[in-house]
Amino acid sequence: MIRTEGRSGLNASPAASQSVAFDPRELLRRARKRRNFAEKFDSFSDAYVWVLAALIALAYLFSALFGMLFVLLGEGVAHQELPSAVWRMQDLSFVLLMLSALAIFRLMIYLGPCGLSAAKADWWLPLPVTLRAIRRPAWRNAMLTGLFASSFAGALWLIVMLGLAGSLPLPVAVLGLACFAAAGAGLANAATAIQAMNRQAAARRICDGVGLGLLTAVAVLWLLLLFQIPWAQDLVGAVAAATLDPAAWLFALLVVLALGAVSTYWAYRHVERIPGPALRLAGEHQQLAMGTLMQGDSRGIAAPAQSAISRRMTLGSKLTAALPVAWRILCLRLLRSGRWHPVAGFLLLAFSLAATVQRIANPLSAAAFYLVLCLILAFSISATIAPLVSEKQLTQPLGISEAALVREATLYAMLFSAISLLLLTGGLGLVGMIQLERIWLWIAAIVVAALGCAAASIAHARRAERDWSAVLGGATNDAAMATQLFMETATFIRAAATFSPIFCLVLSPATPIPPLLWVAAMLFGANSLIHVAGRKLGGAA
């Protein structure tokens, strides 16, 4: 019996030793180590994908930017020498640099920049635990986002400078990229401190004021250059030369590093004060920005503030009180959402470039302006008319048939497009970029182009939301994926085809336009006539 107990004791001793050696803290450490490795691997995978996507985008944008500069500068074509065109493209590079920094800072403020995804926010924020372990990774991701965004913008700026100057010294490229990367991290740190103090609205107002002041300074310098003030000419020349000077970039890098150290300490002191709701809201903004980037739809992040909507609704109600109900809806949506802002902003930019920058007043630039306006009109108008052409349930509360709603939306799209095209044509004609001798042909070409813009707007509005992951994921091979993408872009290709008479008048004003070209352009815009004439018959029936 004693030996049996001895054997049982010997048999039980390893288990007893194992039970004594078991440590729950070791199990937790192993689980935490595995979780950290998984999170780091996921972060590395995401960073790898984004860096690879950025490199591919830069490879495509390299040729696109060179082509844009070729068109804007009118290489190989005659251009107008306007007395008001005193700027060179390289002279405005510093302004573009400052505006890029302001845009990145505004982006960081919008993104948070410290945020939590919806899943993490739902899990961690209700728990009675400290958020230190959550805030620090969010801060690190914010700095990486700022560094990545600023480096990408810096690479684009260097590509533009290479196209303008013809050559770019290697020290300037290296120091410039380093300066952009350090500036992006510093701006992200400053935005983190501002988020902790809940001063995003004040920071946005300051950014708007700085941008307005910068544009005002450009306008003042333009006036001084127009009157040939010597010290203004020397100042502009020195700033333009400094953009290609390695010593200037080295000094800028040292200044940016010093300011970055200050902003990093500032963020370190305030990052622990970011509340949980602010992290959740920033995560929602980041998810919205990601969806905008993937879907190519900026309606979410471009929506105006509620105060601006209320103010515009009050003004719009007074202005549209006498209009029919469909037109009143369209005008109120136009005023409330500010969909006319992109069109007006582009027209102002086109006129400013043509009148103040050397070599911009050429036929190639004019053709490019018309093409860009075509795309802007299609997107802006489609967002305005979307409820009338895609939501059939509106027919009952409004007491209007679906055919009548589509007809009114088509007429509105044609009118808005025609007015925008007339404004662009008149402005370019005033600065001498285009010749308006054959005025009746111009009117006919504008009408045909308006038909194309209206048809593209209605087609894009009816397409509504597209889940690109499902669309592209359902493609079985590369050919099917290319087909899907072509179907999405075919609408805008047809709209651009209706501008072919305008392109002929711009590039070759003395050459007769072939009748076949008119017929093809009319066929591409015939859907608008079908919506107006055909729907009218259907509505009458």
Side-chain angles (χ1 to χ4, degrees), residues 67-74 89 353 359-362 365 368-369:
M68 181 192 70
L69 293 175
F70 179 87
V71 170
L72 286 179
L73 297 179
M89 289 287 287
L353 289 176
R359 303 181 63 183
I360 296 295
N362 64 82
S365 295
F369 290 157

Side-chain angles (χ1 to χ4, degrees), residues 102 105-115 187-209 266 270 273-283 285-286:
L102 286 176
F105 187 53
R106 283 293 300 264
L107 176 63
M108 290 295 102
I109 293 175
Y110 174 80
L111 295 179
C114 299
L187 292 174
N189 288 328
T192 300
I194 292 172
Q195 180 187 15
M197 295 185 295
N198 194 23
R199 303 291 293 175
Q200 292 95 329
R204 284 192 291 267
R205 289 194 296 269
I206 292 175
C207 284
D208 295 340
W266 189 26
H270 291 83
R273 303 179 186 177
I274 301 178
L279 293 174
R280 182 190 294 272
L281 180 61
H285 285 182
Q286 293 172 10

Side-chain angles (χ1 to χ4, degrees), residues 99-176:
L99 292 178
S100 300
L102 286 176
I104 292 172
F105 187 53
R106 283 293 300 264
L107 176 63
M108 290 295 102
I109 293 175
Y110 174 80
L111 295 179
C114 299
L116 285 179
S117 63
K120 289 185 177 180
D122 292 339
W123 173 256
W124 286 105
L125 295 183
L127 298 178
V129 296
T130 179
L131 297 179
R132 180 182 179 87
I134 298 298
R135 295 190 182 101
R136 296 292 176 172
W139 180 28
R140 182 178 62 251
N141 293 334
M143 285 192 292
L144 292 176
T145 302
L147 186 148
F148 178 81
S150 184
S151 300
F152 186 79
L156 294 180
W157 186 85
L158 291 174
I159 292 174
V160 172
M161 290 303 299
L162 176 61
L164 293 176
S167 62
L168 193 66
L170 182 60
V172 171
V174 175
L175 292 173

Side-chain angles (χ1 to χ4, degrees), residues 7 19 136 150 165 221 305 351 374 393-394 423 432 449 454 481 501 528:
R7 284 196 301 269
S19 62
R136 296 292 176 172
S150 184
L221 281 176
F351 298 153
C374 170
Q393 61 270 24
L394 287 178
L423 290 176
M481 185 179 298
S528 296

